[in-house]
Amino acid sequence: MARTNSTMLPLGTPAPLFSLTDVVTENAISAAWFIDKDALLVIFLCVHCPYVKHVQDELAKIGRDYAETPLGILAISSNDAVQYPDDGPEGLKAMAEALGFKFPVCYDESQEVAKSFAAACTPDFFLFDAERKLVYRGQLDESRPKMDPPVPVTGASLRAAIDAVLKGEGVNPDQRASLGCNIKWKAE
């Protein structure tokens, strides 16, 4: 595991196009899937990362809390499943079902989607407004695994951004990078 910060893609960047398959339902998921949503949250995650495990219950809670709102949520794993088999479709499906995720979870086998988002770590968060312009990228909250003293996982940073964009308000541009395991890129 290499501790890696998110790249902090410039605010205002348009949401990249994507087309992936939900590992649970096998539905085709693309930007059009979320056309009726006022905002779109894209989460890069994986099964084995201790940073993701640290926040996975909060990710499930965010899915439940915003299920009846105009927020679309999509989770993507882009890790090389040859090197990290748990992060492939079967492991993702088991994770999504065990945690009760209320949003699609997709596997980015080609890793092209992660590259188009400039995703760097797991977890990595990208929030887009109704025009699909990036309004938030960065941390879930101030908590990290094995902090002494521990800081509770609340999702406060991400939730504040989601709530602002859903109210049609500006999102605070003072944003802190996410920290997690690097995405496990395929050997070239």
Side-chain angles (χ1 to χ4, degrees), residues 138-185:
Q139 69 180 7
L140 178 71
D141 57 31
E142 296 290 334
S143 183
R144 303 289 186 268
K146 299 180 182 178
M147 292 180 80
D148 188 24
V151 173
V153 177
T154 64
S157 300
L158 181 59
R159 285 175 178 272
I162 292 169
D163 292 343
V165 77
L166 291 180
K167 291 177 187 171
E169 299 172 354
V171 176
N172 184 345
D174 183 19
Q175 301 170 9
R176 183 173 173 203
S178 187
L179 176 67
C181 299
N182 63 302
I183 290 181
K184 307 308 186 237
W185 301 107

Side-chain angles (χ1 to χ4, degrees), residues 1 48 78-88 107 111 182-188:
M1 158 186 87
H48 86 275
S78 298
N79 278 358
D80 180 359
V82 172
Q83 293 180 64
Y84 297 87
D86 288 348
D87 295 339
Y107 179 61
Q111 300 184 316
N182 63 302
I183 290 181
K184 307 308 186 237
W185 301 107
K186 294 178 182 181
E188 295 197 13

Side-chain angles (χ1 to χ4, degrees), residues 44-56:
F44 285 87
L45 50 66
C46 69
V47 176
H48 86 275
C49 172
Y51 289 86
V52 173
K53 288 182 182 212
H54 180 69
V55 301
Q56 66 188 11

